[in-house]
Amino acid sequence: MNVFQPFIEFDFMRHALLSCVCLSLSATPLGVLLSLRRLSLAGDALSHAVLPGAAVGYLFCGMSTLAMGIGGLVAGLIVALLSGLISRTTLLKEDASFSGLYMGALALGITLISVKGSGMDLLNILFGSLLAVSHQALYITATISLCSLAVLIIIYRPLVIDTFDSDFLRVRHKGLAASLHALFLFLVVLNLVSGFQILGTLMSVGLMMVPAISARFWANRLLPTLLIAVIIALFSSLIGLLLSWYSALPAGPAVVLCSAVIFLFSCSVGRANGGLARFHHHRSGALH
């Protein structure tokens, strides 16, 4: 019996896998940089912030991938700009301002969808429909992935400098740090919009952040961390879809659940910062 037979026989399984591959290649590296910039909560907040815009697109155009995507992008950018404005004009830091905005955005989106839609529509938007990815949604996801990767490669060096030594970048290039941060958040929102059409607004951040955080238990340098994070995301996607097929589980949550299991495993045995590695380090230090 060929375990991978579902991907050979069925278009919808191939579409689901390809869409997850696209997200893994573009969204997961952004998740690594978000965690290094101590903005892990921002990914979760922005995934919820997408919902009101998607709801507005749904109210006017129904379950239109393009309309909901454009609405979600606009809403996510508005929340990102509001968060930046609040952090600059008050004592709140950016992660705290995100947490203050995202629950309101989530509640507004659910309310708007409930005005016109059914419970099934709400579930599809919140949790996605990974096994029903259309050709249009797949093309949009692939295009966003390619564009996001191209921009990330272009801004990679200054973005890394800003991540680890923002004061240096501000002194050498005034105004560049703020522009980089804004462009980086735009890429995050763009990938979350791409992800919500597949995994839903609640699950899309899972493939962005969980593999990214897991990878930090296996490497201390940035490039290996990025590579490991993408590999974990790809592996979670493949195993999650197979688990969904053979166990009749919802596909999107199954993918994120697999990445969460890998996260717990990484916490325990990761060779860089895992529990066992730290235990052996402290034990060898005590013996010496």
Side-chain angles (χ1 to χ4, degrees), residues 1-10 13-14 17 234-235 237-243 245-246:
M1 178 182 175
N2 188 350
V3 176
F4 302 104
Q5 194 66 28
F7 300 114
I8 299 172
E9 288 190 12
F10 302 104
M13 289 294 289
R14 289 195 293 272
L17 182 60
L234 292 171
F235 183 75
S237 301
L238 177 63
I239 300 302
L241 285 169
L242 289 174
L243 184 65
W245 175 264
Y246 289 110

Side-chain angles (χ1 to χ4, degrees), residues 118-139:
S118 64
M120 186 58 67
D121 292 333
L122 180 60
L123 285 175
N124 283 336
I125 294 172
L126 290 178
F127 297 104
S129 50
L130 183 54
L131 297 184
V133 176
S134 64
H135 283 89
Q136 184 187 34
L138 182 58
Y139 292 148

Side-chain angles (χ1 to χ4, degrees), residues 145-163:
S145 179
L146 286 173
C147 294
S148 178
L149 277 173
V151 174
L152 186 59
I153 290 170
I154 293 170
I155 67 172
Y156 177 78
R157 185 175 178 81
L159 185 61
V160 171
I161 295 172
D162 184 49
T163 299

Side-chain angles (χ1 to χ4, degrees), residues 5 13 40 86-87 90 101 122 131-132 159 166 194 254:
Q5 194 66 28
M13 289 294 289
S40 297
I86 291 171
S87 66
T90 68
L101 291 170
L122 180 60
L131 297 184
L159 185 61
S166 57
S194 175

Side-chain angles (χ1 to χ4, degrees), residues 208-221:
M208 175 181 282
M209 294 308 307
V210 181
I213 298 169
S214 302
R216 297 186 64 183
F217 290 104
W218 296 100
N220 288 316
R221 297 175 60 191

Side-chain angles (χ1 to χ4, degrees), residues 255-271:
V255 169
V256 178
L257 182 61
C258 285
S259 65
V261 170
I262 294 173
F263 166 72
L264 292 175
F265 176 77
S266 302
C267 286
S268 302
V269 302
R271 66 181 183 86

